[in-house]
Amino acid sequence: GIPAAIDSYAIAVSPTGELAVAVPRLENGTVVGTTLVRVPLGGGAPRPVVEDVMAADWSRDGKSLAVSREVKGRVRLEFPMGKVLFETTGSIAYPRLSPQGDRIAFIDRPLFERTHGRVMLIDLAGRAQVLSAGWRDLQGLAWRPDGREIWFAATTRSEGRALHAVTPGGKTRLVAKMPGSPWLDDIARDGRVLIDQWSVRSQIAALAPGETRERDLSW
């Protein structure tokens, strides 16, 4: 079995109550990647689906998944799985199917381990367009239930993130600023928004000559 110190984690929950879960994949006791499995929410045997998935989203009928996954050093956006719509040497985060199921919004990050990026939209034929670019610390993305906007949390400067929205036509607006640094998780069908709130603090400490305890010199 998988050692207790190695965690599995849920990626997405389907409208029909099925979980997409990333499970560590081991070789000789070392984690070499992940395997995406489908698990009934009420319990049951997990069913392996595909390897090395970074993010996923369920179709509205709960029968198929849009996934971003790494293959031979490149990251692909696939929907349905096996059909490549977009590919990059960077990373693809938060693929989100539209309420109508005909387009996928996602975050394209040119540098693999950086949070800078742009919001993109692609149709099921693979025609992609940039909706909003120039963002840093871009975290979280979700469609508004009516499909008229895509919300995301980001900033353009060295400050906390704010909630922004962009239309499929590329018009961007500020939704809300708030204390801390929000991380957008999802938008429910009734319009309620699920947000993680992050607060970051910095501290300055110094150990003066001849002393044994540090002093707090924070402003």
Side-chain angles (χ1 to χ4, degrees):
I2 297 172
I6 302 173
D7 294 329
S8 301
Y9 56 93
I11 295 179
V13 183
S14 80
T16 57
E18 189 175 12
L19 295 175
V21 179
V23 178
R25 189 173 72 259
L26 303 178
E27 289 184 5
N28 299 320
T30 301
V31 178
V32 295
T34 60
T35 299
L36 182 72
V37 301
R38 297 174 64 157
V39 184
L41 194 60
R47 180 159 61 92
V49 178
V50 70
E51 294 182 348
D52 298 325
V53 168
M54 304 173 70
D57 191 35
W58 291 93
S59 60
R60 295 294 165 174
D61 60 9
K63 294 180 179 180
S64 56
L65 285 157
V67 301
S68 65
R69 68 187 190 103
E70 186 176 1
V71 179
K72 297 181 180 179
R74 296 178 67 86
V75 176
R76 299 173 173 178
L77 175 64
E78 300 180 5
F79 183 75
M81 283 186 291
K83 180 182 178 182
V84 179
L85 299 179
F86 187 82
E87 193 171 32
T88 178
T89 56
S91 63
I92 298 169
Y94 308 104
R96 296 289 184 261
L97 280 154
S98 68
Q100 294 76 25
D102 59 343
R103 292 174 290 182
I104 302 172
F106 63 96
I107 294 173
D108 175 38
R109 292 181 172 148
L111 300 178
F112 188 79
E113 294 185 346
R114 300 292 298 273
T115 58
H116 295 57
R118 55 189 184 172
V119 179
M120 295 191 65
L121 187 64
I122 194 167
D123 64 19
L124 303 189
R127 292 183 290 264
Q129 64 183 106
V130 178
L131 296 185
S132 188
W135 298 99
R136 51 187 296 176
D137 200 15
L138 184 54
Q139 301 287 4
L141 182 141
W143 284 87
R144 209 171 72 180
D146 59 10
R148 294 182 179 179
E149 286 185 329
I150 300 152
W151 288 24
F152 58 96
T155 181
T156 56
R157 299 182 295 273
S158 298
E159 59 182 21
R161 293 182 295 268
L163 282 180
H164 301 269
V166 61
T167 67
K171 184 178 180 180
T172 303
R173 71 180 180 95
L174 174 66
V175 175
K177 285 187 175 182
M178 59 194 70
S181 198
W183 186 311
L184 178 61
D185 287 314
D186 205 355
I187 302 177
R189 293 187 180 184
D190 62 4
R192 290 178 298 166
V193 181
L194 180 63
I195 295 172
D196 284 335
Q197 186 62 277
W198 292 58
S199 296
V200 180
R201 297 181 62 186
S202 298
Q203 185 178 28
I204 302 172
L207 181 63
E211 296 188 357
T212 59
R213 297 183 62 183
E214 292 181 341
R215 295 185 182 184
D216 185 353
L217 302 180
S218 305
W219 294 13

